[in-house]
Amino acid sequence: VCSTVRVDPSDSTSLSTLVNQAAPGTHFVLAPGEHLLSSPITVSQDNVRLTGERHEDGTLSSKLIPSYMTTSKPTLHVTSMGVVLENLIIENTAESETSVATLIIDGRSDATVSGCYVFGCGGIGVRLQGQCKPFVSKCEIERATYGMILAGESMALVEGCDIHDCGTACKSDEHAKGHVHDCSLHDCSEAGVVAAGQSQTEYKRNIIKDTRGCGV
């Protein structure tokens, strides 16, 4: 039976603990405010949903912020099926760790990430790896070495995202496939898109501008 759990920032039990121990199908509704995480969130149960709330003006209001000292871990790591992340602010505080991702989707996960804001803090904003097949839609990603990396054998569908103020907005590597379309990739210090390895990711109808290096 699916259950809905409302989480307030003042709750004594950390959101990390609640999600890491959640039963399959649990829906977490995050009240407005800063949810301090005692450890990285690992979503390993199927059909878990994390939903943030919005202010009256439509801006996001539910923020995930690590409070732990370990800087080599992501803020949120998804490995299971049917997971939904929506309307969340997901931050990372590992300023000196350029290889650390704020959000990782891994394994065979088909997670949906929608309407989220991801702050890379000089690391990687979103990393899609393994054999995952996620759907990432209408997210904003900024302040990262790489805004998004598609790696492994991932087959992601990324649409309508705004990736900006990064080193490189989007990188496809290894054997990654999938589609990136209708995104805005801009104001990057290096490139809009980088393709490496044997990746076959398809880019369509993206706006790439104001990159200080090459666009592609």
Side-chain angles (χ1 to χ4, degrees):
V1 178
C2 297
S3 62
T4 299
V5 178
R6 182 172 175 82
V7 184
D8 189 271
S10 63
D11 288 348
S12 57
T13 302
S14 169
L15 178 64
S16 307
T17 301
L18 292 174
V19 177
N20 293 350
Q21 298 177 356
T26 304
H27 182 193
F28 293 95
V29 179
L30 278 57
E34 296 185 350
H35 295 259
L36 298 179
L37 307 179
S38 60
S39 61
I41 293 177
T42 301
V43 186
S44 57
Q45 299 284 4
D46 291 344
N47 302 312
V48 169
R49 189 181 194 111
L50 275 72
T51 303
E53 296 188 345
R54 291 180 177 268
H55 295 295
E56 290 185 1
D57 63 1
T59 57
L60 299 175
S61 66
S62 303
K63 182 184 296 187
L64 307 182
I65 303 179
S67 63
Y68 45 87
M69 297 304 295
T70 302
T71 59
S72 60
K73 301 290 186 180
T75 302
L76 211 162
H77 190 175
V78 179
T79 61
S80 49
M81 304 291 288
V83 172
V84 177
L85 309 174
E86 55 190 353
N87 302 332
L88 299 170
I89 300 171
I90 309 170
E91 293 196 356
N92 199 334
T93 55
E95 291 189 35
S96 61
E97 299 289 339
T98 58
S99 63
V100 175
T102 301
L103 169 62
I104 294 177
I105 300 178
D106 202 352
R108 297 180 179 274
S109 177
D110 61 350
T112 295
V113 185
S114 177
C116 292
Y117 168 83
V118 179
F119 182 77
C121 198
I124 299 165
V126 177
R127 183 177 176 89
L128 311 175
Q129 61 187 36
Q131 296 180 318
C132 68
K133 297 181 179 180
F135 175 51
V136 183
S137 175
K138 296 179 173 60
C139 292
E140 180 181 0
I141 304 169
E142 69 167 321
R143 306 291 179 183
T145 303
Y146 291 97
M148 180 178 291
I149 293 181
L150 297 84
E153 297 179 357
S154 60
M155 295 182 64
L157 173 58
V158 180
E159 69 171 21
C161 292
D162 182 12
I163 306 176
H164 60 92
D165 292 287
C166 299
T168 295
C170 196
K171 180 181 180 180
S172 302
D173 204 352
E174 299 172 339
H175 297 274
K177 297 182 181 178
H179 305 271
V180 177
H181 64 86
D182 298 301
C183 294
S184 179
L185 315 174
H186 60 98
D187 293 291
C188 293
S189 60
E190 295 183 16
V193 173
V194 169
Q198 299 181 47
S199 63
Q200 299 180 44
T201 304
E202 182 179 66
Y203 291 86
K204 278 187 175 182
R205 301 188 303 274
N206 298 294
I207 297 173
I208 303 174
K209 64 179 182 179
D210 298 326
T211 57
R212 295 171 183 82
C214 58
V216 178

